[in-house]
Amino acid sequence: MACATNAISLSLSSNPNSKLSSDFIPKLNKPVNVSLRASTSAELNPGRLFLSRPIGLSRRNCANATPVMDQSVGERSSSVPTIVEVDLGNRSYPIYIGSGLLDQHELLQKHVHGKKVLVVTNTTIAPLYLDKVVDALTKGNPNVSVENVILPDGEKYKNMETLMKVFDKAIESRLDRRCTFVALGGGVIGDMCGFAAAAFLRGVNFIQIPTTVMAQVDSSVGGKTGINHPLGKNLIGAFYQPQCVLIDTDTLNTLPNRELASGLAEVIKYGLIRDAEFFEWQEKNMEKLMARDPDAFAYAIKRSCENKAEVVSLDEKESGLRATLNLGHTFGHAIETGFGYGEWLHGEAVAAGTVMAVDMSYRLGWIDSSIVKRVTDILQRAKLPTAPPKTMTVEMFKSVMAVDKKVADGLLRLILLKGPLGNCVFTGEYDRKALDDTLSAFCKS
Amino acid sequence: MASISNAFSLSLPCNRIANSSSDFNPITSALSGLDSGEFSPGRVAVSKPSGIGGRICANATPVMDQPVGEKSSGAPTIVEVDLGNRSYPIYIGSGLFDQPELLQNFDRHVHGKKVIVVTNTTIAPLYLDKVVEALTKGNTAVSVEYVILPDGEKFKDMDTLMKVFDKAIESRLDRRCTFVALGGGVIGDMCGFAAASFLRGVNFIQIPTTVMAQVDSSVGGKTGINHPLGKNLIGAFYQPQCVLIDTDTLDTLPDRELASGLAEVIKYGLIRDAEFFEWQEKNMEKLIARNPNALAYAIKRSCENKAEVVSFDEKESGLRATLNLGHTFGHAIETGFGYGQWLHGEAVAAGMVMAVDMSYRLGWIDSSIVKRVDDILLHTKLPTAPPETMTVEMFKSVMAVDKKVADGLLRLILLKGPLGNCVFTGEYDRKALDDTLSAFCKS
């Protein structure tokens, strides 16, 4: 495990030639003045940003972590969970991480305010965890009654028709504005349940209980909810934050290898866009992750959540910084849409998309070849794709990318790497030829 | 026209006939999200430093001294909805479509390059071209798409909403685009919800073309669609960039729709603005005869009331629920009888009569109010009872999914005290509710 005593440091792209200093000194810097305005023309070079917190922890626990984090993460115990806070003022919420958390019913019950709960889950997860969750919600709590709706499993069901089933069930069960929705599943369930909660009666509380790596390291945190449209991913939805996120790492025991790897694509992403140290740790520990070492995994989840929480609290509605979390996603979403929702898992598409973004960055002369190699290597070790499916054409990429949410007034903006590992930019100002060359290089036609 | 020189006054429940143990300050209780117990806002005024002596509580600009409703293309009346840095103006006046700078005010309203106008088959042939022109005149950077939906409450559903998304995506609209709702309440609610959800949220503008939309639904941010089992069960609180009320659009509004909107005008008087109610009693003929000055004043005063309530309690933790007088019963009528059979305002009218009846049974108002409410609705040619096919059971089952139910407790808006005072409460004798329902239903 990477040393947890790394101090907070600030590396910005104003020093493109400086290496990351290897002696880290803990200090409380003043908050960095980051421009969060959506400037399409200017580059946004967040590098590795942090936010000073008066709590004064010396490690890189930038998002209001409580002292309980001194406990070694990942011990298989039902003791105090690790907590990463997502700081959004009076809408702040905790991410609980630990083994056996579904047995700690007070954790969940603390965030349920009304008398009725609707658990939204799918056909794969329901037989595994639904009873446990219902138990956690109702144990010693006779006032709460729990309904559930079980949706079909998979990206291709992340649509309006499936979403209506959630509304139907909620209304038939006479849930009112005091109710709580609970998303129990992976990213598809979390996104759909979140959007249903945002729209039901114009907004009710909800809780995220992610059961995949993808959801635990990324999609359950931050409030992006929604469904797909046939013409593009996540084109309909809402920014809507949960009351809390409960990550019981035991749920990964039943996760298939393919899904596990898919989630690792997002873990790798954080390293590339803002956390070189984390990337280096991943390079050292990828075999452990693939072997599902509990400590390694718990650490990967925690560090991912810290990165995510920090970005979200700085730029909740994506006027700038938050877009960097979309590295590989413009190409990746095009793959998912073009190849067919559910054919490739989201993380697999993101992995291929990351390779394409890296290739383009290299063509632009913004990164050197060592980074290209390190990215390809780590993805291969994670058994993730390093190229799109063979049936993808340049035209398919272009037409889907045209409706990507990062397009502004017709200008396609991308997240590209620039500088030393751990630095990226979000920009519409790049040589279009590089994009064309990358697309041609990766597509047969 | 009612005098606008009434000073601000605060009438609180301590003046009520019935006793209450707690002293309610409607403002603080609205802000503290109190939703149990009674809530009796009466007439609440907010003092605004602009120092206008009239009851213009929502940051009206001095331009309001100009007589409202002159058929001219002069400066519009502006009522501001105060929501801090999300505040927005309601422009009211005749011929506003001929003032392109209002919509195009780029610093404020139309920001990006693409616009999609959402309208329906009735409105499109009448006003679409005018609006497109107002958006594009002297402004080559903006391009306008449009989607024309079928007209009517029964189309206020997910299938129809998807058409808006389909068109927006096919037209490659991005996050910088603006949606424009051009139509009545159904269009406004659907377009607003589409804007709230498209790419997780894009800007939108309301251009209401019915009385219902001009006096109520286009202001305040409630958007959404119906579910077969109930009205507006899916939606979002999502505010527009501005509301543009060109009163000339009422020239083409049928009488039935006009009357429907007047139900909401009457509602404001009953819940919080006795003076406005009295003005309506004196001016109902003029309103029905579509006297421009009378209508313009009614719209302005309605918007002021609405804007004030919304700026106090945007997401309905308390005060805003009072705008729902007559709506619990009314929505049950719309759902039970069939969406679109009765217009929303007709259902609200019947619902208000029922709410008033229940308030009287509870001993909270005297019979003079009951009579005045009946009279003014009859005057307006609005229903004063639900359709005959409504049963007690139909009412109860739809009311059970009303959004004002909290943890199973049905809360209603009832009148209490002198005219102009209401309460939002779950604490009432259930027998009174049963008696009212029985009185108004054949079975």
Side-chain angles (χ1 to χ4, degrees):
Chain A
M1 187 182 301
C3 170
T5 55
N6 283 337
I8 300 161
S9 73
L10 197 64
S11 72
L12 285 175
S13 57
S14 50
N15 276 334
N17 295 323
S18 69
K19 295 174 293 207
L20 284 174
S21 155
S22 57
D23 60 59
F24 297 106
I25 304 148
K27 56 187 169 184
L28 289 175
N29 294 330
K30 291 202 180 6
V32 174
N33 197 3
V34 178
S35 165
L36 299 175
R37 295 271 156 262
S39 54
T40 46
S41 51
E43 292 182 355
L44 184 70
N45 298 333
R48 222 178 97 195
L49 264 189
F50 92 96
L51 196 62
S52 73
R53 290 269 157 228
I55 292 174
L57 286 174
S58 60
R59 3 173 152 170
R60 220 194 139 282
N61 293 342
C62 308
N64 267 344
T66 65
V68 74
M69 295 190 77
D70 288 336
Q71 175 197 348
S72 126
V73 181
E75 276 176 5
R76 282 193 172 280
S77 67
S78 296
S79 50
V80 183
T82 299
I83 303 178
V84 176
E85 184 91 351
V86 183
D87 182 5
L88 292 162
N90 62 6
R91 291 176 304 115
S92 297
Y93 57 92
I95 307 166
Y96 303 107
I97 308 170
S99 158
L101 294 194
L102 287 176
D103 298 318
Q104 294 187 35
H105 54 265
E106 64 281 2
L107 273 186
L108 258 190
Q109 287 182 22
K110 188 168 133 178
H111 296 278
V112 174
H113 304 304
K115 293 192 185 137
K116 284 193 161 181
V117 175
L118 174 70
V119 179
V120 180
T121 187
N122 68 28
T123 47
T124 303
I125 294 296
L128 295 169
Y129 299 112
L130 180 54
D131 287 347
K132 218 177 177 26
V133 167
V134 173
D135 218 51
L137 287 163
T138 54
K139 193 169 186 172
N141 193 6
N143 286 332
V144 167
S145 74
V146 182
E147 304 286 343
N148 65 74
V149 58
I150 302 177
L151 306 177
D153 181 3
E155 185 80 34
K156 66 181 189 193
Y157 298 105
K158 188 174 161 187
N159 57 27
M160 196 57 88
E161 202 184 312
T162 311
L163 193 73
M164 288 305 294
K165 297 190 201 312
V166 181
F167 294 129
D168 291 345
K169 178 69 186 198
I171 295 162
E172 285 156 18
S173 308
R174 296 189 171 178
L175 266 47
D176 60 45
R177 275 186 166 155
R178 297 264 181 94
C179 75
T180 303
F181 282 20
V182 173
L184 174 64
V188 170
I189 286 293
D191 285 11
M192 276 205 287
C193 180
F195 184 41
F200 181 59
L201 310 184
R202 299 195 187 100
V204 297
N205 284 351
F206 87 109
I207 286 170
Q208 290 272 17
I209 305 184
T211 59
T212 63
V213 174
M214 172 61 68
Q216 293 183 2
V217 303
D218 190 13
S219 62
S220 68
V221 175
K224 277 191 176 179
T225 72
I227 53 173
N228 301 330
H229 183 275
L231 292 176
K233 285 268 295 184
N234 300 330
L235 296 184
I236 297 165
F239 284 98
Y240 198 70
Q241 302 292 347
Q243 299 298 111
C244 74
V245 181
L246 188 97
I247 299 175
D248 186 333
T249 50
D250 292 349
T251 55
L252 300 184
N253 296 340
T254 49
L255 188 70
N257 285 335
R258 187 183 174 194
E259 274 73 5
L260 193 105
S262 171
L264 291 178
E266 305 283 8
V267 176
I268 291 163
K269 173 192 80 185
Y270 291 118
L272 290 175
I273 59 169
R274 70 193 318 267
D275 195 350
E277 203 180 284
F278 189 25
F279 188 87
E280 285 155 19
W281 175 88
Q282 294 166 35
E283 285 177 315
K284 294 193 186 77
N285 290 276
M286 188 49 71
E287 273 70 42
K288 279 191 177 174
L289 287 170
M290 295 296 278
R292 299 166 180 253
D293 177 284
D295 287 343
F297 241 100
Y299 179 74
I301 294 168
K302 175 173 86 76
R303 189 90 172 216
S304 298
C305 285
E306 286 164 356
N307 273 291
K308 183 82 186 264
E310 188 173 271
V311 171
V312 167
S313 65
L314 286 172
D315 180 24
E316 182 187 5
K317 306 249 172 129
E318 196 165 302
S319 48
L321 175 65
R322 187 168 183 167
T324 61
L325 298 172
N326 253 217
L327 172 73
H329 283 59
T330 313
F331 297 110
H333 280 171
I335 291 169
E336 289 188 75
T337 309
F339 198 45
Y341 294 136
E343 295 296 321
W344 274 23
L345 295 177
H346 174 63
E348 293 165 347
V350 166
T354 302
V355 174
M356 293 175 76
V358 165
D359 176 88
M360 188 174 157
S361 308
Y362 179 66
R363 285 177 195 275
L364 288 163
W366 292 359
I367 56 172
D368 67 42
S369 59
S370 66
I371 293 184
V372 181
K373 184 174 190 334
R374 288 169 80 180
V375 170
T376 314
D377 283 353
I378 200 171
L379 290 172
Q380 281 170 342
R381 285 164 70 195
K383 299 202 178 25
L384 284 165
T386 51
K390 293 190 171 64
T391 49
M392 286 298 291
T393 64
V394 172
E395 191 43 48
M396 283 161 84
F397 268 107
K398 285 189 166 181
S399 65
V400 180
M401 284 165 73
V403 296
D404 187 275
K405 288 189 290 306
K406 297 183 296 295
V407 171
D409 284 333
L411 178 70
L412 175 61
R413 299 176 296 170
L414 298 172
I415 296 83
L416 300 162
L417 301 188
K418 197 167 185 180
L421 192 137
N423 290 274
C424 69
V425 301
F426 172 45
T427 178
E429 286 178 13
Y430 47 81
D431 185 349
R432 292 287 172 295
K433 188 177 181 309
L435 175 57
D436 290 337
D437 290 346
T438 291
L439 289 174
S440 303
F442 281 87
C443 301
K444 290 201 172 329
S445 59
Chain B
M1 189 180 296
S3 158
I4 57 167
S5 61
N6 285 336
F8 295 157
S9 75
L10 200 62
S11 75
L12 284 177
C14 46
N15 291 335
R16 282 189 286 110
I17 303 161
N19 50 354
S20 160
S21 51
S22 50
D23 258 295
F24 263 81
N25 181 328
I27 299 173
T28 55
S29 54
L31 296 176
S32 66
L34 244 151
D35 49 13
S36 60
E38 289 186 357
F39 189 70
S40 309
R43 225 181 93 195
V44 174
V46 179
S47 68
K48 287 277 171 212
S50 53
I52 300 174
R55 211 193 145 281
I56 301 171
C57 307
N59 268 344
T61 65
V63 76
M64 297 189 77
D65 288 338
Q66 175 200 349
V68 180
E70 278 178 2
K71 278 207 176 278
S72 67
S73 294
T77 298
I78 303 177
V79 175
E80 187 87 353
V81 182
D82 181 4
L83 292 162
N85 62 6
R86 290 177 306 115
S87 295
Y88 57 93
I90 307 166
Y91 303 108
I92 308 170
S94 159
L96 297 193
F97 288 162
D98 299 318
Q99 298 186 35
E101 63 281 4
L102 275 185
L103 274 182
Q104 285 183 30
N105 189 341
F106 274 101
D107 288 346
R108 295 194 76 184
H109 305 314
V110 176
H111 297 163
K113 295 200 188 113
K114 285 192 160 180
V115 174
I116 178 167
V117 178
V118 180
T119 188
N120 68 29
T121 47
T122 302
I123 294 296
L126 295 168
Y127 299 111
L128 181 55
D129 287 347
K130 229 173 166 27
V131 166
V132 173
E133 216 197 283
L135 288 164
T136 54
K137 193 168 186 168
N139 187 4
T140 50
V142 168
S143 75
V144 182
E145 304 285 342
Y146 59 85
V147 57
I148 302 178
L149 307 176
D151 181 2
E153 185 80 34
K154 68 183 187 190
F155 298 107
K156 188 176 164 186
D157 60 15
M158 198 56 90
D159 280 347
T160 312
L161 192 72
M162 287 306 294
K163 298 191 198 319
V164 181
F165 294 128
D166 291 344
K167 178 70 185 195
I169 295 162
E170 286 157 16
S171 308
R172 296 190 173 177
L173 267 47
D174 61 44
R175 274 184 168 156
R176 298 267 178 91
C177 75
T178 303
F179 280 28
V180 173
L182 175 64
V186 171
I187 286 295
D189 285 10
M190 276 206 285
C191 180
F193 184 43
S197 313
F198 181 59
L199 311 183
R200 299 195 186 101
V202 297
N203 284 350
F204 86 110
I205 285 170
Q206 290 271 19
I207 305 184
T209 59
T210 64
V211 173
M212 172 62 68
Q214 293 182 4
V215 303
D216 189 14
S217 62
S218 66
V219 175
K222 277 191 176 178
T223 71
I225 54 173
N226 300 330
H227 183 275
L229 292 178
K231 285 267 298 185
N232 300 331
L233 297 184
I234 298 165
F237 284 99
Y238 199 70
Q239 302 292 346
Q241 298 298 110
C242 73
V243 180
L244 187 95
I245 299 176
D246 186 334
T247 50
D248 293 349
T249 56
L250 300 184
D251 295 345
T252 49
L253 187 70
D255 287 340
R256 187 183 175 194
E257 274 73 6
L258 193 104
S260 172
L262 292 177
E264 305 284 6
V265 176
I266 291 164
K267 173 193 80 185
Y268 291 118
L270 292 174
I271 60 170
R272 70 192 319 265
D273 196 349
E275 202 179 284
F276 189 25
F277 188 87
E278 286 156 16
W279 175 88
Q280 295 166 35
E281 285 177 314
K282 295 191 186 78
N283 289 276
M284 191 48 75
E285 263 84 28
K286 280 189 177 173
L287 286 171
I288 295 175
R290 300 162 180 257
N291 174 293
N293 286 345
L295 273 177
Y297 179 74
I299 294 167
K300 175 173 86 75
R301 188 92 171 213
S302 298
C303 285
E304 286 162 359
N305 273 290
K306 183 80 186 265
E308 189 173 87
V309 171
V310 167
S311 64
F312 278 137
D313 180 24
E314 183 187 4
K315 305 250 172 128
E316 196 166 303
S317 48
L319 175 65
R320 186 169 183 167
T322 60
L323 297 172
N324 253 218
L325 172 73
H327 283 60
T328 313
F329 297 109
H331 280 171
I333 291 168
E334 288 189 74
T335 308
F337 198 44
Y339 294 136
Q341 295 297 321
W342 273 23
L343 296 177
H344 174 63
E346 293 165 347
V348 167
M352 285 197 292
V353 173
M354 295 175 75
V356 163
D357 177 87
M358 188 174 157
S359 307
Y360 178 66
R361 287 178 194 274
L362 288 163
W364 292 358
I365 56 172
D366 66 42
S367 59
S368 66
I369 293 185
V370 181
K371 183 174 190 334
R372 287 169 81 182
V373 171
D374 263 4
D375 283 352
I376 199 170
L377 290 173
L378 287 169
H379 214 155
T380 318
K381 297 195 179 27
L382 284 165
T384 52
E388 284 177 5
T389 49
M390 286 297 291
T391 65
V392 173
E393 191 43 47
M394 282 161 86
F395 268 106
K396 285 191 167 180
S397 65
V398 180
M399 283 164 75
V401 296
D402 188 273
K403 287 187 291 305
K404 298 182 296 297
V405 171
D407 280 333
L409 178 70
L410 175 61
R411 298 177 297 169
L412 298 170
I413 296 81
L414 300 160
L415 302 188
K416 199 166 186 180
L419 192 136
N421 290 273
C422 68
V423 301
F424 172 45
T425 178
E427 289 176 18
Y428 48 81
D429 185 347
R430 291 290 173 291
K431 188 177 180 309
L433 175 58
D434 289 339
D435 291 347
T436 291
L437 288 174
S438 301
F440 281 87
C441 299
K442 290 201 171 330
S443 61

